[in-house]
Amino acid sequence: MLFSSISFLYYFLPVTLALYFAVPQRFKNAVLLLASLVFYGWGEPKYVLLMGFLVVQGYGFGLLLETYRGEKAGRICCMVSVMVSLSFLLYFKYADFFLGNVNRVTGLSLPLLRLALPVGISFYTFQIISYTVDVYRGEKAQRNPVRLAAYVVMFPQLVAGPIVRYSDLAGQLAERTHSFRGAAYGIRRFVIGLAKKILLANQLGELCSVFRASGEKSVLFHWMYAAAFTLQIYFDFSGYSDMAIGLGRVFGFRFLENFNYPYISASITEFWRRWHISLGTWFRDYVYIPLGGNRRGRGRQLVNILAVWMLTGFWHGAAWNFVLWGLFYAVLLTAEKLWLLKRLEKSRILSRAYTLFFVMAGFVVFHAQDLGQAYADLAGLVGGGGIPLVSAQAVYCLRSFGTVLLAGGIGATPAVRDLGKKIAAYPAGEKILALAEPWVLAAFLLVMTAYLVDGSFNPFLYFRF
């Protein structure tokens, strides 16, 4: 089930909210768990059993880890739990990748499994791992299975994050408050995220589709495509995160932010502190620091960075272009740590241009179907293949999609937020905004409903990861 669907907005969500707020406090986690299972099982009922097994093993190992904390048995339990969780992710997501590469290298013809990837498995696997590792490190094990299951399968962030750490939600699972103010903030955040998805990401996605189908490639068209996908993936994923954070607030939870205007960054280092924050901090705390971080000398630090970014790329998909994408950022981050960062600090304009250029180039590689397409798309940015600078179709698309590209470019900066703050600073500004906001949000929802009825929406890009 998609957030950007009529069935979710006008059937599932109202019923869930009605039940959730009708029951006493002690039953709210149970209602949330039941709703989450329905939400997940709506499209993939058979994989509910897989998710249930992973939750049960996480619960059992959590109790064992607390019992044997500080002992060798505890360390073994932690390793086994992590291996069990990762084994399912490796099987469903990467089995065909490894089999295909073995066939290419050896000349064998091992049959591919062609497994369907369970939606959200990359996200909820990481959440279960964070729980068991946090318990191993000293967090109290969750003895209430309903609370733990509600944490893992909570539908607002189940299928595409943000990756919520157990240590951040443990107290909220036991006790949380609900208020009209919090619910109003959550609704506002949800509608804004939905607008990002439907009004911007989906329209930009149409431009990307037109580019892929076009037989009239040009340098201009390649750059339009690179800009469109760079904006599409931001509004698609940050829009989902906004909706997840907003829904969480309605249910009384406070999820951490996942994006912080990454395209205004002045370095790749800063970009990755602002983009998909929950994934970056997860790899930092559960991979980079356990490997030694920066505590064992510069050489070991660079090796750790390489390892983390290979895994980050591989986490996004079972294809070599994702591995290349991860290594691409490993090289840039290493260069910045060694010498480039100090030079970038000398010019705000050049540093931002440098960052945006390499982020766009990275997303061109990210979005390619394979390495060959990635090479062709990158070469097209500089006129490779003898393509012209401009084509008639590129000019037509620029006229057709120029407005949404401009709106996306402005929306990816803090400009709209800052404008709201300036208006609110005037004596009557805050009152005007308070009066206008419900009507503006209602208008947005009406327009977006029309788009959904018309069938104008796409699945979220990060669902496939």
Side-chain angles (χ1 to χ4, degrees):
M1 190 184 302
L2 298 173
F3 288 168
S4 54
S5 66
I6 295 296
S7 57
F8 177 82
L9 291 171
Y10 294 102
Y11 299 100
F12 175 84
L13 187 57
V15 171
T16 299
L17 289 172
L19 290 173
Y20 181 83
F21 286 106
V23 302
Q25 183 73 29
R26 66 182 181 275
F27 295 125
K28 290 190 184 300
N29 285 334
V31 170
L32 190 56
L33 172 59
L34 178 62
S36 298
L37 293 174
V38 172
F39 175 86
Y40 192 78
W42 190 275
E44 297 189 316
K46 63 182 179 181
Y47 290 129
V48 172
L49 296 175
L50 168 66
M51 188 167 57
F53 171 78
L54 290 172
V55 171
V56 169
Q57 69 86 20
Y59 176 77
F61 275 111
L63 297 178
L64 290 173
L65 285 164
E66 188 174 59
T67 302
Y68 296 106
R69 184 179 294 146
E71 301 177 21
K72 184 178 180 180
R75 186 163 61 253
I76 293 173
C77 285
C78 185
M79 292 174 61
V80 172
S81 178
V82 171
M83 289 172 63
V84 169
S85 296
L86 287 178
S87 66
F88 286 93
L89 180 61
L90 290 170
Y91 176 70
F92 281 98
K93 192 169 184 176
Y94 301 105
D96 280 354
F97 173 79
F98 289 119
L99 288 171
N101 281 282
V102 168
N103 288 341
R104 279 191 286 272
V105 172
T106 63
L108 297 174
S109 300
L110 299 175
L112 301 183
L113 302 180
R114 304 193 184 282
L115 299 168
L117 180 66
V119 172
I121 189 171
S122 298
F123 289 89
Y124 66 72
T125 296
F126 273 24
Q127 293 197 178
I128 294 170
I129 291 174
S130 85
Y131 166 69
T132 53
V133 173
D134 285 351
V135 173
Y136 172 73
R137 291 174 175 176
E139 190 77 36
K140 288 185 178 180
Q142 179 56 258
R143 298 187 175 278
N144 186 322
V146 172
R147 289 180 185 173
L148 181 63
Y151 154 70
V152 175
V153 308
M154 196 180 300
F155 77 85
Q157 44 74 233
L158 171 63
V159 292
I163 301 170
V164 180
R165 307 268 281 275
Y166 174 73
S167 56
D168 294 328
L169 281 195
Q172 298 178 55
L173 287 163
E175 185 177 355
R176 57 190 179 273
T177 58
H178 305 82
S179 66
F180 284 110
R181 187 180 205 135
Y185 171 83
I187 292 170
R188 178 170 70 247
R189 191 72 183 267
F190 179 87
V191 173
I192 290 172
L194 191 62
K196 284 183 176 182
K197 167 62 180 166
I198 295 175
L199 303 182
L200 291 173
N202 287 353
Q203 312 313 309
L204 292 161
E206 287 187 20
L207 175 54
C208 293
S209 298
V210 171
F211 170 82
R212 278 282 172 244
S214 172
E216 297 182 35
K217 299 291 197 303
S218 64
V219 175
L220 174 61
F221 212 172
H222 274 275
W223 278 101
M224 287 170 57
Y225 160 72
F229 182 72
T230 298
L231 291 171
Q232 181 198 3
I233 194 169
Y234 169 71
F235 287 113
D236 188 277
F237 193 20
S238 71
Y240 183 94
S241 294
D242 285 339
M243 285 186 271
I245 291 168
L247 287 173
R249 184 64 68 88
V250 172
F251 290 105
F253 293 96
R254 291 177 179 267
F255 301 154
L256 297 179
E257 294 295 334
N258 209 24
F259 290 86
N260 183 22
Y261 299 106
Y263 294 155
I264 66 170
S265 301
S267 67
I268 298 299
T269 301
E270 182 184 356
F271 173 80
W272 280 105
R273 289 174 182 154
R274 292 173 174 269
W275 176 277
H276 202 344
I277 298 168
S278 64
L279 180 67
T281 55
W282 195 96
F283 272 107
R284 180 196 67 198
D285 294 345
Y286 297 103
V287 180
Y288 180 70
I289 291 177
L291 286 174
N294 57 2
R295 303 187 306 274
R296 300 182 182 179
R298 177 67 77 178
R300 181 61 179 272
Q301 180 188 17
L302 298 182
V303 171
N304 293 341
I305 290 173
L306 179 65
V308 165
W309 282 97
M310 282 188 67
L311 291 173
T312 300
F314 205 40
W315 178 87
H316 280 87
W320 284 112
N321 62 298
F322 291 111
V323 176
L324 177 63
W325 178 76
L327 292 174
F328 172 73
Y329 281 112
V331 171
L332 288 173
L333 290 166
T334 298
E336 289 186 359
K337 285 190 179 297
L338 291 177
W339 59 276
L340 188 55
L341 207 54
K342 291 182 179 179
R343 288 166 173 77
L344 291 173
E345 292 171 354
K346 296 178 180 179
S347 173
R348 293 171 61 87
I349 295 176
L350 289 178
S351 62
R352 281 168 170 74
Y354 144 86
T355 303
L356 197 54
F357 172 79
F358 281 113
V359 166
M360 289 173 66
F363 278 133
V364 167
V365 175
F366 183 93
H367 195 224
Q369 293 299 311
D370 51 43
L371 290 178
Q373 190 178 77
Y375 175 79
D377 289 343
L378 288 174
L381 296 174
V382 293
I387 60 174
L389 289 176
V390 181
S391 63
Q393 189 172 19
V395 173
Y396 175 79
C397 286
L398 184 60
R399 290 173 178 169
S400 301
F401 293 95
T403 301
V404 72
L405 283 168
L406 179 61
I410 294 172
T413 72
V416 176
R417 180 200 65 186
D418 293 345
L419 177 61
K421 288 182 177 179
K422 288 181 179 179
I423 294 174
Y426 287 99
E430 191 169 355
K431 187 175 182 180
I432 292 172
L433 288 176
L435 291 173
E437 182 182 78
W439 296 101
V440 172
L441 293 178
F444 268 128
L445 189 58
L446 183 63
V447 171
M448 290 184 289
T449 300
Y451 271 92
L452 295 179
V453 170
D454 189 47
S456 301
F457 76 97
N458 300 313
F460 287 93
L461 293 175
Y462 260 71
F463 275 25
R464 67 187 178 116
F465 306 129

